[in-house]
Amino acid sequence: MARYPIVLLFCLLLPGVLQAAPVAIALHGGAGTLTRDKMTTEQELAYLQILDTAVELGHARLQAGARGAEVVREVIRLMEDSPLFNAGFGAVFTWDGRHELDASIMLGESLRAGAVAGVTRVKNPIEAAYAVMEASPHVLLSGSGADAFAEGQGLDLVDNQYFSTPERTRALERYRATQVESESAKFGTVGVVVLDAEGNLAAGTSTGGMTGKRWGRIGDSPLIGSGTYADNSSCAVSATGHGEFFIRWQVASDICARVKYQKVYLQAAATHVIHQELTQAGGDGGVVAVDPRGNVAMVFNTEGMYRASVNGVGEKVVAIFRDEPATGSGVADDG
Amino acid sequence: MARYPIVLLFCLLLPGVLQAAPVAIALHGGAGTLTRDKMTTEQELAYLQILDTAVELGHARLQAGARGAEVVREVIRLMEDSPLFNAGFGAVFTWDGRHELDASIMLGESLRAGAVAGVTRVKNPIEAAYAVMEASPHVLLSGSGADAFAEGQGLDLVDNQYFSTPERTRALERYRATQVESESAKFGTVGVVVLDAEGNLAAGTSTGGMTGKRWGRIGDSPLIGSGTYADNSSCAVSATGHGEFFIRWQVASDICARVKYQKVYLQAAATHVIHQELTQAGGDGGVVAVDPRGNVAMVFNTEGMYRASVNGVGEKVVAIFRDEPATGSGVADDG
């Protein structure tokens, strides 16, 4: 008789044991004053399509057991190669009419990280960030030195003009004339966070920075703790927005610190940092984040953020505007 | 009769009310394998003397009501101008036989911050960091762009050879021959944290980086959250050591996050991050830190750290080696 409770317990737990480990992914392609009246239906569909393609690719690879770092690289490469985003091909212009690209990657299991700032010849900056992590004793390389390192690692190199598109050329001309950055060019950074089947978190971010940037300006995207952070004991975050605020408020690592030390849920931590801290300071932007249980948070204080996710229970979101439903998808106890 | 307790309470509180607001300062000139047998008495005295001069200058200025940002600038400038430290004059050489200097500054009241990475012509890099904070919309400028910005701001410029000293030339020759960095050249970063009479925290850090660095490597010193952080709601921190670990563990902002979210004392937070997190990861170095009550922490896991402080109750420490007394000076309740 005494065995019945044990058998019952076993039966209750069995489905959980047999269930595959949860995987989750969330990605962004920038945040800003994105409203329906500023986009044609064709543009909207083009963005929704690539966001969907990217999140499906990443989710399928995670389900197949691919490691987090590989999935972050693959999905960001896909987005870098699209002219729709301000990263890789289609990056914005600097004041001098060139392209200076930044990227970073971090692994939550080991806190290993790699980043590049101001590369000008690497076709896929996320690959340069990955190579810094894998093949150098450093975390952050910059400028022509980072290009030289990437070349030594055998990465695909291109002429700087490879990154140029007619749309970004027009944005630079407008910026030079008005000194006011066009909104579409302002926030096009891409980023991906994942929970892989081994339970490890990873995050990556890639950007062309701000149109018309000068003086070797470095934003938050290549900076560990600012634009990118991953720690298995808390969460993985990738940010997009007005980089200076994300550096000063340490947005990525602060969200993780709140999860770790205040024991709040990911969605609550991300919401507080973006809607209280950042908004009060006057900083615009957003984050995508994932925690070790597969909860996903996609939080922004702008009118829209190109975003897509599949959380740990398989719920999928692909969206652009603020009024679209339930973008902070949660698992079980996460509000 | 009922008035006596109130009068008694008033008399007890009066001295505290009349007392000037506490000010505090802590500074470092690098951490590493510093033991007495590796230094001559003359060398030791030279270091103790400049550490003493620097901390006395800063403390006197704070007592006179100078703002935190001014004191951080003045004290770091003094240390940059000394060949004893790896910052400004006397900075280490890159692999290419040049000098690339990094610096950052942050204010705890506003979370305003400025930083430069890889400047080559600015006599006092801390002044360039300050100018970025004051006169640009950015936080971090890099390379020749940062030099050009500093020039536009009218800062003192020098030839790159200005920073060279015979000692650093020998260190580069040894490094090129052996690929092993001399310990003396490894950790000479300088940093200052202060609590000013208005109750505001500030932090600054300046360095020449690692001897023989390549590929435009950027360490933790110019990175907000990694080597430098200041937030009136928690603490101000400046770090020195193996920069890559300080980036991955977000040492400066993590100490502040623990103070803020875990409600632990500064000394406890700094001790945990350096002696647990960093030591377990294999990272060498240390921090100086101050909180809004004038508590000072100077914590390192190396054999020594050039350091000096005056805490909020006027207790002064000037020290180099690990076995020297009471370097984590506290006020009242801080262990």
Side-chain angles (χ1 to χ4, degrees), chain A residues 106 110-111 137-142 145-146 215-218 224-225 229 244 248-250 254 258 261-262, chain B residues 110-112 137-142 145-146 215-218 224-225 229 244 248-250 254 258 261-262:
Chain A
M106 184 165 189
S110 55
L111 303 192
H138 302 307
V139 170
L140 176 56
L141 301 183
S142 66
W215 307 309
R217 178 258 187 185
I218 297 176
I224 299 303
Y229 207 70
E244 279 70 14
R248 293 165 55 201
W249 268 263
Q250 288 288 291
D254 188 36
R258 287 168 185 270
Y261 302 137
Q262 295 188 315
Chain B
S110 55
L111 303 192
R112 289 172 62 215
H138 303 306
V139 170
L140 176 55
L141 302 183
S142 66
W215 306 309
R217 178 257 187 188
I218 297 176
I224 299 304
Y229 207 70
E244 278 70 14
R248 292 164 56 200
W249 267 264
Q250 288 289 293
D254 188 36
R258 287 168 185 268
Y261 303 135
Q262 294 188 316

Side-chain angles (χ1 to χ4, degrees), chain A residues 49-123:
Chain A
Q49 191 160 49
I50 190 159
L51 291 168
D52 189 68
T53 302
V55 80
E56 286 289 345
L57 166 73
H59 191 248
R61 295 283 289 123
L62 289 166
Q63 284 189 309
R67 302 187 61 141
E70 302 308 314
V71 177
V72 167
R73 284 165 69 193
E74 283 179 49
V75 175
I76 289 187
R77 223 161 46 213
L78 177 84
M79 297 177 84
E80 285 177 340
D81 290 343
S82 163
L84 294 176
F85 303 112
N86 173 21
F89 177 60
V92 300
F93 283 90
T94 66
W95 182 256
D96 301 325
R98 291 170 51 78
H99 306 279
E100 295 177 0
L101 309 165
D102 305 331
S104 62
I105 188 167
M106 184 165 189
L107 310 186
E109 184 184 12
S110 55
L111 303 192
R112 289 172 63 216
V116 290
V119 294
T120 61
R121 299 190 292 132
V122 183
K123 182 173 180 243

Side-chain angles (χ1 to χ4, degrees), chain A:
Chain A
M1 283 298 282
R3 283 196 196 135
Y4 281 112
I6 293 167
V7 171
L8 186 66
L9 190 68
F10 182 77
C11 292
L12 283 171
L13 290 176
L14 192 61
V17 173
L18 293 179
Q19 207 177 0
V23 298
I25 179 170
L27 59 88
H28 66 77
T33 57
L34 306 167
T35 52
R36 283 192 180 79
D37 57 309
K38 289 180 188 151
M39 300 184 103
T40 65
T41 307
E42 289 70 33
Q43 286 173 323
E44 188 181 332
L45 284 175
Y47 276 105
L48 291 173
Q49 191 160 49
I50 190 159
L51 291 168
D52 189 68
T53 302
V55 80
E56 286 289 345
L57 166 73
H59 191 248
R61 295 283 289 123
L62 289 166
Q63 284 189 309
R67 302 187 61 141
E70 302 308 314
V71 177
V72 167
R73 284 165 69 193
E74 283 179 49
V75 175
I76 289 187
R77 223 161 46 213
L78 177 84
M79 297 177 84
E80 285 177 340
D81 290 343
S82 163
L84 294 176
F85 303 112
N86 173 21
F89 177 60
V92 300
F93 283 90
T94 66
W95 182 256
D96 301 325
R98 291 170 51 78
H99 306 279
E100 295 177 0
L101 309 165
D102 305 331
S104 62
I105 188 167
M106 184 165 189
L107 310 186
E109 184 184 12
S110 55
L111 303 192
R112 289 172 63 216
V116 290
V119 294
T120 61
R121 299 190 292 132
V122 183
K123 182 173 180 243
N124 289 105
I126 193 67
E127 293 295 334
Y130 182 76
V132 171
M133 178 172 76
E134 289 294 311
S136 92
H138 302 307
V139 170
L140 176 56
L141 301 183
S142 66
S144 58
D147 278 318
F149 173 79
E151 185 168 16
Q153 292 296 312
L155 299 190
D156 282 353
L157 297 187
V158 291
D159 284 339
N160 193 251
Q161 303 99 289
Y162 158 80
F163 301 108
S164 305
T165 60
E167 148 105 353
R168 303 303 191 194
T169 304
R170 284 192 297 273
L172 177 65
E173 285 161 4
R174 277 195 304 270
Y175 181 74
R176 279 177 170 165
T178 63
Q179 302 272 326
V180 175
E181 199 174 29
S182 77
E183 286 299 328
S184 72
K186 204 166 181 178
F187 302 126
T189 299
V190 307
V192 178
V193 294
V194 301
L195 166 68
D196 72 17
E198 292 177 27
N200 291 316
L201 301 177
T205 309
S206 179
T207 191
M210 295 164 68
T211 295
K213 66 183 177 183
R214 278 191 265 194
W215 307 309
R217 178 258 187 185
I218 297 176
D220 63 316
S221 300
L223 302 185
I224 299 303
S226 303
T228 301
Y229 207 70
D231 180 348
N232 277 4
S233 70
S234 51
C235 63
V237 179
S238 172
T240 176
H242 193 153
E244 279 70 14
F245 288 92
F246 285 73
I247 297 173
R248 293 165 55 201
W249 268 263
Q250 288 288 291
V251 166
S253 62
D254 188 36
I255 291 172
C256 293
R258 287 168 185 270
V259 168
K260 191 170 170 180
Y261 302 137
Q262 295 188 315
K263 315 283 183 204
V264 296
Y265 290 121
L266 179 63
Q267 179 73 26
T271 299
H272 182 89
V273 170
I274 298 299
H275 288 294
Q276 299 293 321
E277 306 283 337
L278 203 67
T279 301
Q280 279 166 22
D284 285 343
V287 293
V288 293
V290 63
D291 75 12
R293 292 175 304 158
N295 294 304
V296 162
M298 302 196 288
V299 181
F300 52 98
N301 63 7
T302 48
E303 290 176 54
M305 180 168 78
Y306 299 111
R307 62 199 186 277
S309 65
V310 181
N311 69 10
V313 292
E315 293 164 349
K316 180 173 156 183
V317 172
V318 179
I320 299 175
F321 308 110
R322 189 163 52 191
D323 58 9
E324 287 175 284
T327 57
S329 59
V331 176
D333 53 359
D334 203 331

Side-chain angles (χ1 to χ4, degrees), chain B residues 167-183:
Chain B
E167 147 105 353
R168 302 303 190 195
T169 305
R170 283 193 297 273
L172 177 64
E173 285 162 3
R174 277 196 304 271
Y175 181 73
R176 280 178 170 164
T178 63
Q179 301 271 327
V180 176
E181 199 174 29
S182 78
E183 286 298 329

